[in-house]
Amino acid sequence: MKKSFIVIGLGRFGASVAKALEAQNCDVLAMDIKEDSVSRIANDVSHCVIADSTNISALKDLGVASIDHAVVCIGNSLQASILTILNLKKLGVKRITVRADEEDHMDVYKMLGADDVIIPEEASAISLANQIISDNILDYYVVSADYAIVKLIVGKNFETKTLMELDIRNRFDINIVGILKSGEFYIPRGTDAINPNDVLVVVGKTPKIRKFDNFLNN
């Protein structure tokens, strides 16, 4: 089942997150209080609304309580970000990621219940979008328009197999360039096994990595 997202605040960063999530075929609701901000991405994101996230009734009417992950990108208004986080928590949104413009605001957002707080200069919108699509992706680094390096955790129900048995290169067209076991990193060989809770460093095209993630964790 696809995860659902709401992106609140459609400035340059928020719009990029919303479009990147849409490009990965996620269920995305893009929202801003300004009509022109919504209009700019209306052709790129299927569901866009003009609404005030500081108004909990507006969020209720949009069905935000059933959304898996909220990304708050208001940025330029501490008060609006705070009220939005509080509203999302009251509605029971499962996970909240917040953009902060200043480091001083990060602790405030965390105290209010934000699960992750990022400063745009420290993570690109595309990397953030790809990382939050899956709970198993720990880090995502864009190499080019097509390729990425991803840290991916192996699901607890995965059946232990060696790399040779899995034949990952031929089956998924990706490469595992490193494995972290109990915090220790090493470059794997074909005879090495992949176990539940291992962290894999994977290189490949994003759709291929997504397919491999589903294989490891479903």
Side-chain angles (χ1 to χ4, degrees), residues 136-147:
N136 310 303
I137 293 178
L138 305 179
D139 204 359
Y140 185 101
Y141 178 75
V142 176
V143 178
S144 69
D146 297 321
Y147 284 85

Side-chain angles (χ1 to χ4, degrees), residues 12-196:
R12 182 181 299 175
F13 186 77
S16 296
V17 172
K19 288 189 283 188
L21 289 169
E22 180 85 6
Q24 294 294 334
N25 197 33
C26 296
D27 290 327
V28 185
L29 175 62
M31 174 180 173
D32 199 290
I33 198 171
K34 298 177 182 177
E35 182 178 358
D36 59 338
S37 297
V38 174
S39 298
R40 277 196 294 269
I41 71 163
N43 293 329
D44 300 303
V45 179
S46 302
H47 300 98
C48 302
V49 293
I50 304 166
D52 182 1
S53 60
T54 67
N55 183 338
I56 195 168
S57 296
L59 295 177
K60 284 181 180 177
D61 291 342
L62 291 168
V64 171
S66 64
I67 284 176
D68 296 313
H69 198 142
V71 185
V72 181
C73 303
I74 298 172
N76 60 357
S77 173
L78 176 62
Q79 181 177 348
S81 294
I82 288 173
L83 291 174
T84 297
I85 294 167
L86 291 174
N87 286 340
L88 293 169
K89 293 297 290 185
K90 287 177 184 177
L91 292 174
V93 174
K94 296 173 185 174
R95 192 165 188 87
I96 302 171
T97 297
V98 184
R99 167 194 167 171
D101 281 342
E102 300 180 26
E103 288 190 13
D104 291 347
H105 296 170
M106 296 180 75
D107 289 339
V108 175
Y109 296 150
K110 283 280 191 179
M111 287 172 61
L112 293 172
D115 298 285
D116 301 292
V117 182
I118 58 115
I119 295 177
E121 290 74 19
E122 295 177 354
S124 74
I126 293 174
S127 293
L128 172 64
N130 280 281
Q131 185 173 337
I132 64 180
I133 286 171
S134 170
D135 294 333
N136 310 303
I137 293 178
L138 305 179
D139 204 359
Y140 185 101
Y141 178 75
V142 176
V143 178
S144 69
D146 297 321
Y147 284 85
I149 300 173
V150 175
K151 283 174 66 177
L152 184 64
I153 191 165
V154 180
K156 62 182 180 180
N157 296 320
F158 182 77
E159 182 182 348
T160 298
K161 291 183 182 296
T162 67
L163 292 176
M164 290 177 65
E165 289 174 321
L166 291 169
D167 195 21
I168 290 167
R169 182 69 180 86
N170 290 321
R171 290 176 64 188
F172 298 97
D173 195 24
I174 61 169
N175 287 306
I176 296 178
V177 297
I179 299 179
L180 273 163
K181 290 181 183 287
S182 303
E184 184 176 345
F185 178 86
Y186 66 93
I187 298 172
R189 297 169 295 184
T191 54
D192 290 327
I194 293 179
N195 300 296

